[in-house]
Each structure stands twice: as C-alpha cells, then as structure tokens.
Amino acid sequence: MAQSDWHYPRKPFTHDSFVALTRGPVAAMSLFGPRRTGKTEFLLHDLGAHAARYGHRVLYASFWQTSVAPLSLLIYAVTEALRPRSYADRVADWLRHPPIKIRVGPDKGPGAVEIDLSERREARLGEDLLLLDDLLGQLANPAKPALLLLDEVQELGTAQGGTEIMAGLRTALDRRRDGLKTVFTGSSQIGLNRIFSSREAPLYRFAAPLTLPPLGPDFVTHQLAVFHRVFQRRLDPATAQEFFERFGGNPMVFQRWLMTLGQYRDLAEAAAADQTADALARDLEFDRIWLGLQTHHRAMARILAERGHDPFGETGAARYEALTGQTAPIPQTRQSHVRTLARRGLADQWDKEWRLTDPLFETWVLERPEGEV
Ligand SMILES: Nc1ncnc2c1ncn2[C@@H]1O[C@H](COP(=O)(O)OP(=O)(O)O)[C@@H](O)[C@H]1O
Ligand SMILES: [Mg+2]
C-alpha cells in the first residue's frame, strides 16, 4: 500500500481555499497551524495537488531550518517551477534538500546564470531581488494563476535580509495579483503577526489570515479503514477516538499509534497508547526541555497548558502558589517568565491568549504529576 493511501484528503477546505485564491478577491492567505498538525501535508497533497490537476503551476518552499538563504531558496523554487515536470516528481524534489548549485535561465548560452546556494549572497541582495522579480514575472499567468506555497514563513521575520526579501516579494506579488497567488503558512502566531500584522512589516495585511481546521472523527474513521486494509486487523473505534482526542487531534501521533499496533500484533490499544506517548516524548526530548527550565518557568508553563486561568491575574497567582508552594511573583514578573518561554519557542500568543506552542508538549506537561513543577 502506498504512502498516499494514508493521506486523508481535506476536501472542503481544499476546495474553498482553491476557489478563494483562483476566483475570489484574495491574492494571498496566511495559514496558521501548530507544529505537526498537517500544514505541509495540506499544501503538498491537497491544495498543491488539486491546483496541479487543474493545470496551474505550483511552487513550494519551506523556510524551516534550512541551510540555504531564503532568497536563494525562493530563486531556486521559481526556477524549478518554470521547468516542465510532473507534480509527483516536483513533490519528491521539494522533500529533498536543494542542490548546491542551480542554473537559472536557458540551459546554455547567454542569459544562463549559475548560483551557488551555499554561498552567502548579502552583497548581491539587490541583484537577486531583481532576478526573483523577473522569474516571478515569467511564472505569472492570469489565465491560470501560479500557486506559491511558502511554508513556515515566520522564519523570514528573523532571517538575515528578511525585511528586504519580504518587501521585494510584496512588490513582485502585488504587481501580478492576477497571475500569482500565495499561501503562507506558519506555526507561530507571534511569528506570523510580526510579518502580517505589524504596521512596519512589508507584508502588512497582505494575506487573509486563516487557521488550519482541526481534523475530526472522519479522519479517525478513514485511518482505521486504511489500517484494516493494510494490517488485516480491526481496532475499536471508540478507543481510537479517545486516543486521538487525548493528543488534541494530532494526525502524526495518531499514525504513530497505528504503526505501533501494526508492528506488535498482540499489543492492546491502551498499552500501545502509553508506549507511543513515551516514545514521542523521548524523540521530541520533552524531558530535556523540562529540565532546562527553572521552577518558576515550569509553573508558568503548566498554568499556560491548563489554559483555564488568567496567568497574570489572581487565578493564575492562586494556581502558581498551589503548584509551587511559594508566593506568586507580581504580574510583571510572571509576564517576563512567559516571555522567556516565548523566546525559547515554547510559548506563543493566540489572539490575546498565551499558550504553549507545541500541543504535544502541552499534553505532556498536563500528564505530568502536578507536584513535579
Ligand atoms: N491529511 C492528512 N492525512 C494523513 N496524515 C496526515 C494528514 N495531515 C498530517 N498528517 C500526518 O501528520 C504528519 C505531520 O503533518 P505535517 O503536514 O508535517 O505538519 P506541519 O506541517 O503542520 O508541521 C504528517 O507527516 C502525516 O503523517
Ligand atoms: Mg510542515
């Protein structure tokens, strides 16, 4: 059975996003979803695949932990999108690391430019922005708009030359609103706000903000059916649903649980659930992260994970005292603890509310014994 059989298509959301971009008034949208909730999967296997099926050119670039400078990555992505390839081949390439050297323009002769992606190119920022603009001009097609899928763009906010790149991108995209449509994704609200909601940012209000819809019971039903076909074993739907909810409807965790059950035929669902949770915490090094925090940070992390209290108000203070046995510090101090968590990428601000960034870490914190902050 192919990998793609496990893919659960987000049909209505794909359709709506595609229509909004190609026939609606928006030229760009920004899609927020916490880490590992299915943004990349949606871009590549739902929206991108759908657009390609209808003859649109599709481009993908992820700014997450890449060693390539963002502008070089964009130039590479547009260059590749201009070549004739099948969509499946493109996806395979996007998931690989970019090559060290790329050739832009004709294969040979005048006009051909070779770019070394590993090279630092700050000095040539202006030239590269012109090149990007030119390439985007070639990609633009008002009859069938090209789709730019730019993943984890909050990284642009802090990248070297990020402001200039965003400004260049905005100009290039604005000039071709009919021929180029963009989806930006991000897994940090603070990071996305920095790019799209702060007045000084070049992409201020450029994209219509959306949140990736959570997966529901249909996802579980779909995955259980695939599991049954693959492993010839039926799982209890209610237990599966419960496990799915325990981890906030996270598709990756759910699939890991299924793989554990697939590998160990005699393992009961509940035992597989605990085994999966332990393995996940180990892989993501939650212990190490927790040990790296001081007691007051841990207490604030737990308070954010519980969500119910106003972390800087009286209910938060009462909870702080119950957890630590110490008097709660003044609100400003508690705020600075939360900002420390944010700086370490552990806390994020959703609308006005502070939360832990990673829903899996949130579940892990909640499942810890209370006394161990
Ligand atoms: N629609 C889906 N159908 C099946 N599995 C999915 C789906 N969305 C996400 N997943 C699973 O969850 C994992 C994490 O998703 P991903 O798209 O990488 O998250 P994100 O980009 O938000 O960090 C994927 O590798 C895949 O195994
Ligand atoms: Mg991703």
Side-chain angles (χ1 to χ4, degrees):
M1 182 155 299
Q3 178 73 33
S4 60
D5 288 324
W6 290 98
H7 174 68
Y8 167 78
R10 294 180 185 255
K11 283 187 189 142
F13 188 59
T14 302
H15 172 266
D16 294 351
S17 314
F18 182 70
V19 169
L21 286 166
T22 52
R23 307 221 304 266
V26 300
M29 53 199 215
S30 69
L31 183 64
F32 167 74
R35 291 196 56 199
R36 304 179 210 92
T37 50
K39 295 180 298 300
T40 304
E41 181 102 2
F42 168 73
L43 290 182
L44 300 185
H45 301 294
D46 289 311
L47 187 59
H50 184 80
R53 220 173 290 129
Y54 283 91
H56 296 257
R57 281 199 151 127
V58 183
L59 168 163
Y60 172 86
S62 169
F63 298 99
W64 182 258
Q65 294 182 343
T66 163
S67 53
V68 178
L71 186 51
S72 302
L73 190 68
L74 279 168
I75 291 173
Y76 167 66
V78 189
T79 309
E80 282 304 307
L82 288 167
R83 296 190 205 288
R85 305 282 309 271
S86 76
Y87 186 72
D89 285 348
R90 288 191 196 285
V91 172
D93 271 356
W94 292 333
L95 299 175
R96 260 182 236 130
H97 286 294
I100 306 228
K101 287 196 172 138
I102 59 163
R103 191 177 282 279
V104 181
D107 276 346
K108 283 200 183 70
V113 186
E114 197 177 70
I115 294 184
D116 184 341
L117 294 183
S118 62
E119 193 189 326
R120 303 180 69 84
R121 295 175 63 88
E122 283 97 38
R124 265 173 294 183
L125 197 63
E127 264 171 70
D128 282 357
L129 282 169
L130 286 176
L131 176 60
L132 177 68
D133 186 72
D134 178 54
L135 291 167
L136 284 171
Q138 294 175 42
L139 192 68
N141 178 1
K144 278 214 187 280
L147 203 56
L148 278 62
L149 309 175
L150 305 182
D151 211 359
E152 303 287 359
V153 288
Q154 74 271 343
E155 306 299 304
L156 275 181
T158 50
Q160 190 152 40
T163 308
E164 289 83 354
I165 297 169
M166 289 188 284
L169 205 52
R170 174 159 200 156
T171 312
L173 296 175
D174 253 342
R175 279 174 53 207
R176 300 155 183 120
R177 291 183 76 86
D178 294 333
L180 297 173
K181 307 287 178 172
T182 313
V183 180
F184 301 91
T185 79
S187 49
S188 148
Q189 289 273 18
I190 295 178
L192 282 179
N193 284 344
R194 198 177 290 141
I195 292 184
F196 298 110
S197 308
S198 83
R199 265 173 216 288
E200 313 79 57
L203 288 168
Y204 176 61
R205 292 212 173 143
F206 182 65
L210 283 179
T211 300
L212 186 70
L215 292 163
D218 289 353
F219 172 78
V220 174
T221 309
H222 170 272
Q223 298 286 297
L224 290 186
V226 182
F227 183 85
H228 182 219
R229 283 208 302 281
V230 175
F231 294 106
Q232 301 295 314
R233 176 178 169 192
R234 275 189 202 283
L235 300 176
D236 175 41
T239 313
Q241 193 61 46
E242 216 171 276
F243 180 79
F244 185 62
E245 278 159 25
R246 173 174 163 197
F247 287 94
N250 187 288
M252 186 201 72
V253 180
F254 190 74
Q255 287 181 339
R256 283 189 68 155
W257 178 63
L258 292 182
M259 290 312 124
T260 308
L261 285 162
Q263 271 175 347
Y264 306 99
R265 217 156 237 291
D266 302 322
L267 197 63
E269 278 103 321
D274 291 335
Q275 195 170 312
T276 306
D278 288 349
L280 198 75
R282 244 189 341 269
D283 286 359
L284 301 176
E285 302 190 304
F286 290 158
D287 260 320
R288 190 182 55 77
I289 296 171
W290 194 247
L291 289 174
L293 297 175
Q294 290 170 306
T295 305
H296 45 267
H297 294 136
R298 290 185 199 162
M300 290 314 290
R302 181 158 188 122
I303 288 169
L304 297 189
E306 289 174 356
R307 292 197 199 175
H309 335 274
D310 169 9
F312 314 124
E314 281 179 22
T315 53
R319 190 70 188 125
Y320 187 100
E321 291 179 18
L323 286 169
T324 61
Q326 294 162 14
T327 313
I330 57 167
Q332 286 85 333
T333 309
R334 277 179 275 151
Q335 264 164 7
S336 86
H337 295 335
V338 169
R339 275 199 298 275
T340 302
L341 293 173
R343 261 198 312 282
R344 296 191 189 182
L346 297 175
D348 193 18
Q349 208 169 11
W350 304 40
D351 292 325
K352 292 271 172 283
E353 189 195 345
W354 281 98
R355 290 210 196 154
L356 293 187
T357 312
D358 185 344
L360 300 181
F361 186 52
E362 183 180 59
T363 305
W364 183 86
V365 169
L366 287 176
E367 290 186 354
R368 291 185 61 75
E370 271 199 22
E372 288 184 17
V373 290

